[in-house]
Amino acid sequence: MALINYSSKEINCKIVYYGPGLGGKTTNIKHIYSKVNPENRGKLMSLDTELDRTLFFDFLPVDLGKVKGFSVHFHLYTVPGQVYYNASRRLILKGVDGIIFVADSQIERFEDNIESMENLIDNLREYNRKLEEIPLAIQYNKRDLPNIVSISELEEALNPRGVFSCEGVAVEGIGVFEPLKEVSKKVLRNLR
């Protein structure tokens, strides 16, 4: 849940990038970091393993300016996608305001996407929260690769509610900002 500090007139919101390992969550957040004005962002923090995979999370604070006299800060997190880091994923979801699910479009990752979505739902349940109650967008990443699942199959498997979704090639910055804008708008709307 967004943290509102009335004395300092600040609102802090948490958006989590979720999805299977090596799906492109960190690539998304690194692209955002490279494009946001340095005056409006903090330091990107990453904890990587020796194989350059996210060990615990990536973190990027972004200032969005003022809303009704309050400074709004979005804190972007990624989670490690590997199954054995589930405790970390669950912990990072605590207090989440919005979620961007980064699906890997490759055929061989189809089941991993479904498993990760189910894991997301299970982990939210630990906090007595439902995915339907949280702003969500889905990015179908790696659309530039040759062995990909069709969008209609991905939508059927991962997006039965019909939330905002888009195709992405995160390494080129394609489809990176659209889901962030969509989720950010809904998070701000929920603050009213």
Side-chain angles (χ1 to χ4, degrees), residues 33-159:
Y33 178 80
S34 73
K35 295 298 180 185
V36 172
N37 184 336
E39 293 176 5
N40 296 337
R41 62 170 159 80
K43 188 176 177 185
L44 174 63
M45 295 188 296
S46 290
L47 290 173
D48 296 332
T49 66
E50 63 277 359
L51 298 174
D52 208 25
R53 300 179 74 166
T54 303
L55 178 60
F56 189 66
F57 64 85
D58 302 308
F59 171 71
L60 174 62
V62 179
D63 295 331
L64 287 189
K66 299 235 180 210
V67 174
K68 295 186 177 180
F70 283 77
S71 297
V72 179
H73 310 283
F74 276 83
H75 302 272
L76 310 181
Y77 289 82
T78 66
V79 296
Q82 298 76 31
V83 173
Y84 43 88
Y85 290 128
N86 191 47
S88 299
R89 288 196 301 269
R90 187 179 313 126
L91 184 64
I92 292 164
L93 280 175
K94 187 173 185 179
V96 66
D97 296 298
I99 296 169
I100 297 170
F101 188 88
V102 179
D104 189 326
S105 296
Q106 296 178 92
I107 290 170
E108 63 269 23
R109 303 300 311 277
F110 186 72
E111 292 300 323
D112 295 335
N113 291 319
I114 294 170
E115 184 180 316
S116 184
M117 183 64 84
E118 290 171 351
N119 176 259
L120 169 60
I121 293 167
D122 289 343
N123 281 335
L124 287 171
R125 197 174 294 132
E126 293 288 323
Y127 297 113
N128 294 318
R129 298 188 70 186
K130 295 179 180 174
L131 186 58
E132 299 79 27
E133 299 167 352
I134 300 170
L136 170 71
I138 300 173
Q139 178 200 59
Y140 299 116
N141 196 25
K142 303 187 181 183
R143 299 305 296 173
D144 58 329
L145 298 180
N147 58 331
I148 55 175
V149 179
S150 72
I151 290 296
S152 61
E153 288 176 271
L154 288 166
E155 285 279 283
E156 185 178 333
L158 300 172
N159 194 11

